[in-house]
Amino acid sequence: MCCQGDALVQRVCELYEKISSLESLKPSQDVNMLFTQLVLTCIPPSPIDVSKLCQGVQEIRSNLIRLCGEAEGLLENHFSTILGSYEHPLDHLDIFPYYSNYLKLSKLEFNILSQHFTRVPSKIAFVGSGPLPLTSIVLASNHLTKTSFDNYDIDTLANSMALGLVSSDPDLSRRMVFHTTDIMDVTTALKDYEVVFLAALVGMEKMEKLKIIDHLAKYMAPGATLMLRSAHGARAFLYPVIDPCDDLRGFEVLSVFHPTDEVINSIVIARKYALPVQHSSSIDSQEINAGAIKLPSKCCEIEAFNPFQKLGSMIEELTFEEQL
């Protein structure tokens, strides 16, 4: 297969063959071992650009992201079930093996949000919260202690499990609501949120992700903030990539942050333009439901800065300055 002269790509393809051959992706010794090997392979900083890989490897990457998403969902189901057996589930969140990663990621997202959002948001939406809504729980418990969180997921069981985790907490059970609905069916209600978080695995296929972003651009309030998770370098074998210059039509990109430690996801923050979203002749209306403003080419003129000087291992903060 093409591209396999690269040792990294070859290793990823080898692991893909083993993972795709598994009878089940539910947590087990074999599943845990293979996904741990995959993460350890992809986490070191790499100059690889997955968009330039050959078609065969592109297909493997697409399938691998889907498998990672399925395995992640099963892992969260597994631990949400265990946590739900406790009288006070929130006291035992650290049994989840990646809980420390969520603590770091949520702290990063809060710090980045604070750089661009000067007041405390009163209401936040999290799209794709799942059965173990750790981001919402950590943000609500540690950082945004007066903010209400509306969590959206299409899975009724996932929402039921998530609700069970917070129901014993008087504060969080009051401030966290769970909606079982496709975000594409949510329209005017999106104007109520000052900040919307979009989970990394909501819209695993490129065009699906673009349609969701376009939907948010259409219905979010002007000036509202969108927080997204992306991936950079070899980490793009694990999660979908958001191209800030091409994918965020209707939004002003404020910054992109690429962690270099065990926090896998890149963080993108954008603000919905205050002007009405307009149709663009360069966008295929059959691919994108509603036309949207496309960021001008100046979005790729990047000035580097790092507001997290104490977080020495996380070295790349890219700020986009563009004019409408």
Side-chain angles (χ1 to χ4, degrees), residues 14-198:
E14 290 172 356
L15 289 169
Y16 165 73
E17 292 299 329
K18 293 178 181 180
I19 291 171
S20 60
S21 299
L22 292 169
E23 292 184 2
S24 170
L25 294 178
K26 291 181 179 180
S28 68
Q29 185 175 352
D30 288 342
V31 170
N32 297 344
M33 178 188 67
L34 286 173
F35 278 101
T36 297
Q37 290 177 3
L38 179 63
V39 170
L40 292 176
T41 299
C42 295
I43 240 180
S46 168
I48 192 169
D49 182 351
V50 295
S51 68
K52 292 182 169 60
L53 297 174
C54 64
Q55 183 62 33
V57 177
Q58 292 281 9
E59 291 177 3
I60 286 176
R61 173 180 170 262
S62 179
N63 291 335
L64 191 55
I65 289 173
R66 179 182 54 78
L67 292 171
C68 287
E70 182 181 346
E72 186 172 315
L74 291 169
L75 183 70
E76 290 185 1
N77 267 289
H78 176 75
F79 279 95
S80 185
T81 300
I82 295 174
L83 286 165
S85 67
Y86 290 101
E87 184 177 356
H88 299 288
L90 300 186
D91 294 339
H92 305 276
L93 294 177
D94 57 358
I95 70 170
F96 185 65
Y98 301 108
Y99 179 58
S100 62
N101 288 33
Y102 275 92
L103 289 175
K104 292 181 180 181
L105 178 59
S106 297
K107 180 67 160 50
L108 273 172
E109 289 175 325
F110 172 72
N111 285 344
I112 292 172
L113 180 63
S114 299
Q115 294 286 323
H116 302 283
F117 201 93
T118 55
R119 65 183 184 279
V120 177
S122 61
K123 198 171 185 181
I124 284 176
F126 193 96
V127 181
S129 48
L132 189 58
L134 285 175
T135 298
S136 291
I137 289 173
V138 172
L139 286 173
S141 301
N142 299 352
H143 306 296
L144 297 166
T145 57
K146 303 298 182 184
T147 302
S148 296
F149 287 78
D150 280 14
N151 301 279
Y152 288 88
D153 202 284
I154 60 173
D155 189 326
T156 303
L157 179 59
N159 277 335
S160 176
M161 296 172 76
L163 178 60
L165 298 181
V166 302
S167 59
S168 63
D169 187 284
D171 177 40
L172 291 193
S173 61
R174 176 180 57 84
R175 291 192 290 124
M176 294 184 68
V177 179
F178 296 89
H179 303 275
T180 303
T181 184
D182 189 331
I183 198 63
M184 296 295 288
D185 295 328
V186 182
T187 55
T188 56
L190 285 169
K191 289 183 170 56
D192 296 338
Y193 304 111
E194 296 160 281
V195 181
V196 175
F197 281 78
L198 183 63

Side-chain angles (χ1 to χ4, degrees), residues 198-209:
L198 183 63
L201 294 174
V202 175
M204 285 189 279
E205 295 295 332
K206 184 72 169 182
M207 292 314 304
E208 182 185 3
K209 178 84 76 175

